[in-house]
Amino acid sequence: MLPNYAIIAITLNCNSRCVMCNIWKNKVTNEMQPGEYLRLPPSLREINVTGGEPFLREDIDEVIKYIKKACMNPRIIISSNGYMPEKIESKMKKIISMYKNVGLRISLDGPKSIHNKIRGVNNAYQRAIESIIRVKKLGLRDIGIAMTVSNLNVGNIYEVFKISRKLGVQFTVSAASSSDIFFGRIDDQIKYFNFKEFENQIKLISKERLSSLNIKEWARAWYENLLKNYIKSAKRPFTCDAGDGFFYMDSQGNIHACHIIQSFIGNIGHYESFKEIWNNENRKKILKITRSCNRCWMVCTFKSQINKNKILIGLSILKKRFTR
């Protein structure tokens, strides 16, 4: 079976200086050309287009066009730091005009002073907010704020959630993590945060989500509760799907089972077809590692498990809603 989900970094260059990520130190050249994305498997149903900062690519709209052409109408989410509001507005206008099944996630890690400190550039907060407002005016509905939690902002999660509510956009939260091949290693003083404070912040969000009549809000509360449990126990609630239903590809076509551990499968430009990559011996060996891995808890690495466990997950979500 070919994978259904992927994170695709279309550039490994960045214009932020984030304290929990070392991508900004890259000076990467010879990145994949738009037409090379036709090599992606048609099986992909959801793709996170990321970086670095994906809007640094002048041809991002062309890249999206070829990804769309290669796959069968996938949901494409573009993840950005929001630092270039004018360019983001211009490029998203082009992308929306040719493809409707697209969304945008802007990173926001706290109120102005904290976000600017974490992102390491001036006016990062103001520009991120402006990017959201500009793209909303284009009529795009699938917009959200993505927050990465660390020791620097664990007490501000609910505050950022309220900002998302005020702006009328979605909110997602994840924990800062080290990555052998993507983010790089981060300082433990940043990575590890006060769990009790995190738990209290998630409870505040959960209370609001579960009081809603929107089942998607219940599902988000359920997921955030699993994140809380993972941070406490360091054990994933579902087997990792990396290298099976999910993969990560960098901007030079290197395919890994995931974006956290060393898990190289092959380069997309070195094979006749994606199926040939997916059937090679590297992937089979890596699966033995990923299926017992507890290095992270991210929604992208268990999405195919949702399809396999729909009834149990549905019952868990309902239980969370009605026993709150």
Side-chain angles (χ1 to χ4, degrees):
M1 293 285 289
L2 291 176
N4 298 132
Y5 303 95
I7 289 178
I8 296 176
I10 63 172
T11 181
L12 289 178
N13 298 308
C14 193
N15 54 358
S16 287
R17 299 290 184 271
C18 301
V19 297
M20 69 292 191
C21 174
N22 292 321
I23 288 177
W24 60 270
K25 296 179 181 180
N26 292 331
K27 295 291 184 289
V28 180
T29 58
N30 300 320
E31 296 185 307
M32 287 175 65
Q33 295 301 303
E36 294 180 272
Y37 288 90
L38 287 173
R39 294 175 175 268
L40 289 171
S43 57
L44 291 179
R45 290 161 41 189
E46 186 165 319
I47 301 167
N48 182 351
V49 170
T50 186
E53 171 48 49
F55 286 97
L56 284 175
R57 284 199 63 147
E58 295 296 331
D59 58 358
I60 183 173
D61 48 322
E62 286 292 301
V63 171
I64 298 297
K65 182 177 79 173
Y66 281 101
I67 290 176
K68 170 183 175 290
K69 191 173 181 179
C71 306
M72 305 296 288
N73 194 38
R75 178 174 180 241
I76 297 175
I77 300 295
I78 304 171
S79 296
S80 169
N81 59 30
Y83 196 67
M84 301 180 288
E86 298 90 349
K87 185 174 183 182
I88 290 170
E89 178 187 25
S90 173
K91 290 295 184 182
M92 286 304 298
K93 187 175 183 179
K94 289 182 179 179
I95 291 167
I96 295 167
S97 69
M98 68 178 178
Y99 195 49
K100 302 302 180 187
N101 198 12
V102 66
L104 180 68
R105 298 292 178 269
I106 299 293
S107 297
L108 198 70
D109 294 325
K112 182 165 70 172
S113 60
I114 291 175
H115 180 73
N116 288 348
K117 179 181 178 181
I118 289 172
R119 294 287 157 173
V121 290
N122 294 329
N123 302 318
Y125 178 89
Q126 299 92 316
R127 289 173 181 244
I129 297 294
E130 184 181 345
S131 291
I132 292 170
I133 293 170
R134 282 175 178 260
V135 176
K136 273 199 78 176
K137 288 180 179 178
L138 295 177
L140 183 67
R141 299 182 65 183
D142 191 355
I143 307 174
I145 283 172
M147 182 179 188
T148 302
V149 179
S150 68
N151 192 43
L152 301 173
N153 63 355
V154 66
N156 303 104
I157 302 171
Y158 184 64
E159 186 174 358
V160 178
F161 173 76
K162 295 299 285 184
I163 291 170
S164 74
R165 288 294 206 236
K166 185 177 180 180
L167 291 169
V169 299
Q170 299 173 44
F171 172 80
T172 59
V173 59
S174 62
S177 58
S178 292
S179 165
D180 298 339
I181 60 171
F182 194 23
F183 314 120
R185 288 278 168 181
I186 60 173
D187 192 325
D188 284 350
Q189 289 184 329
I190 295 172
K191 179 180 176 182
Y192 295 110
F193 48 77
N194 185 308
F195 175 75
K196 192 65 179 177
E197 181 60 37
F198 178 81
E199 186 177 39
N200 290 337
Q201 295 281 315
I202 293 299
K203 282 181 179 178
L204 290 172
I205 296 172
S206 184
K207 185 177 179 180
E208 284 201 30
R209 291 204 191 278
L210 294 175
S211 65
S212 166
L213 296 178
N214 187 337
I215 195 168
K216 287 184 179 179
E217 287 292 290
W218 307 350
R220 289 167 185 143
W222 171 81
Y223 170 76
E224 288 158 356
N225 187 63
L226 291 185
L227 174 63
K228 180 186 69 179
N229 293 343
Y230 166 75
I231 291 169
K232 186 177 182 179
S233 67
K235 291 184 179 180
R236 293 175 58 94
F238 289 91
T239 302
C240 182
D241 203 34
D244 191 4
F246 166 82
F247 70 89
Y248 161 69
M249 185 174 80
D250 70 21
S251 62
Q252 295 181 314
N254 295 310
I255 294 174
H256 302 260
C258 81
H259 49 303
I260 299 297
I261 64 173
Q262 291 285 355
S263 54
F264 179 70
I265 297 173
N267 187 286
I268 201 167
H270 299 166
Y271 291 81
E272 289 296 320
S273 69
F274 193 91
K275 186 179 289 186
E276 190 180 345
I277 299 173
W278 215 237
N279 289 334
N280 75 25
E281 289 301 315
N282 281 351
R283 187 180 77 90
K284 295 172 184 177
K285 292 175 183 176
I286 289 165
L287 277 177
K288 295 177 182 179
I289 300 170
T290 59
R291 285 175 175 164
S292 61
C293 183
N294 287 291
R295 281 279 298 273
C296 79
W297 169 241
M298 296 183 184
V299 69
C300 55
T301 60
F302 91 103
K303 279 205 168 182
S304 70
Q305 295 288 337
I306 294 176
N307 294 325
K308 297 174 184 176
N309 299 278
K310 281 183 179 178
I311 295 175
L312 287 176
I313 290 172
L315 290 173
S316 296
I317 291 169
L318 290 173
K319 183 179 178 181
K320 180 72 178 172
R321 169 64 171 82
F322 292 107
T323 60
R324 70 189 194 279

